[in-house]
Amino acid sequence: MPDRNRETVTLQTVRISVVDQLYAALRMAIIGNELSPGARISEAEVAQQYGISRQPVREAFITLANEGLLDIRPQRGSFVAKISLAAVLDARFVREAVEADIVKLLAATPDAALLANLRQQLTRQQELVGGSARDFMEADEIFHRTLAEGAGKGNAWRVVEEMKAQMDRVRFLSSMHFPVARLIDQHRAIVDAIAEGDATGAETRIRTHLQGILSDLPVIKQERPEYFL
């Protein structure tokens, strides 16, 4: 006789996995501007596109709405939220504060294995110059997460990740307009400062790196005013 409890757990696990995968796919589509700010998005159409029921779509939509990426309007439909300038600036402020302390910790006790990993990542980033913005964004995300985990601050990075979705949307648009090589040079300068045990230099360089969005943001907003609140 089948174990009904086990069946329930298995089905529930599969359902949660579908929700998580759908959420991740839609989140990346929004951040990567495949679903542009203001665009209408239908539960029924997404369910049909992915060959699933509407319930996991509804759950993914709710999670995206809680993250500020979807605007669910009763009786009117769901729309990709416009970019909140306030949310972008708040996320940048928090991220800079967290990562400045992270690189100071790393520079206090430079780790050879971590530095080797970071330099391999720099090589990979260089190979992506001229390629897709999404590929570079993924490599950039790995680089910054590696810094946090190398300092034993993986949980702090997850907090930053949870609040920087709006900032990532601007970063994606920025990567399409401004030289990726500039960002890689900044990454390399951060790694060099850590390797030299220069905590002050590492802090200064990562602050400069993360403040770049402040100059990019007005240009992007001027080009795409309809994307912003």
Side-chain angles (χ1 to χ4, degrees):
M1 183 175 179
D3 184 335
R4 294 189 179 278
N5 288 333
R6 179 171 295 177
E7 275 188 7
T8 301
V9 170
T10 301
L11 289 172
Q12 184 178 12
T13 301
V14 170
R15 186 180 66 80
I16 291 173
S17 176
V18 169
V19 173
D20 289 346
Q21 290 179 46
L22 180 61
Y23 158 76
L26 293 174
R27 185 181 190 276
M28 191 62 239
I30 293 171
I31 288 173
N33 202 40
E34 292 172 27
L35 294 171
S36 298
R40 191 178 187 280
I41 180 169
S42 160
E43 284 185 12
E45 290 174 3
V46 171
Q48 184 177 21
Q49 177 184 350
Y50 287 90
I52 56 178
S53 70
R54 292 182 63 169
Q55 182 58 32
V57 178
R58 187 171 296 115
E59 293 183 35
F61 274 27
I62 290 170
T63 303
L64 290 165
N66 289 338
E67 202 172 347
L69 294 175
L70 274 190
D71 182 10
I72 300 175
R73 305 174 191 172
Q75 311 305 319
R76 295 183 59 190
S78 298
F79 301 82
V80 177
K82 294 193 175 184
I83 299 171
S84 164
L85 288 177
V88 172
L89 295 174
D90 283 350
R92 193 217 62 80
F93 179 83
V94 171
R95 182 175 183 180
E96 181 181 331
V98 170
E99 292 205 65
D101 276 353
I102 282 171
V103 296
K104 285 192 292 184
L105 287 171
L106 293 175
T109 54
D111 179 82
L114 174 64
L115 289 166
N117 181 354
L118 292 170
R119 294 199 188 282
Q120 287 177 353
Q121 290 186 35
L122 291 173
T123 299
R124 169 60 178 155
Q125 290 173 22
Q126 196 65 50
E127 294 169 354
L128 296 175
V129 173
S132 77
R134 175 176 288 195
D135 286 346
F136 181 77
M137 282 275 291
E138 290 176 356
D140 180 77
E141 190 79 6
I142 291 169
F143 177 83
H144 287 274
R145 183 168 64 244
T146 300
L147 291 174
E149 291 175 349
K153 299 300 178 185
N155 287 334
W157 177 251
R158 281 187 283 277
V159 171
V160 171
E161 276 187 312
E162 288 175 2
M163 68 177 300
K164 71 182 183 70
Q166 300 282 20
M167 181 181 177
D168 284 343
R169 298 171 79 183
V170 175
R171 288 174 58 236
F172 181 87
L173 292 170
S174 173
S175 68
M176 296 174 66
H177 288 73
F178 301 98
V180 167
R182 178 188 69 182
L183 302 178
I184 298 171
D185 287 344
Q186 291 173 352
H187 285 172
R188 185 173 291 108
I190 293 164
V191 174
D192 288 345
I194 292 170
E196 294 162 8
D198 181 1
T200 300
E203 178 186 1
T204 298
R205 290 168 186 175
I206 201 159
R207 286 188 185 277
T208 298
H209 177 57
L210 295 176
Q211 288 169 7
I213 195 172
L214 296 175
S215 57
D216 295 346
L217 187 54
V219 178
I220 295 167
K221 188 174 183 297
Q222 184 175 19
E223 289 185 355
R224 293 286 190 176
E226 71 277 13
Y227 281 4
F228 294 84
L229 290 175

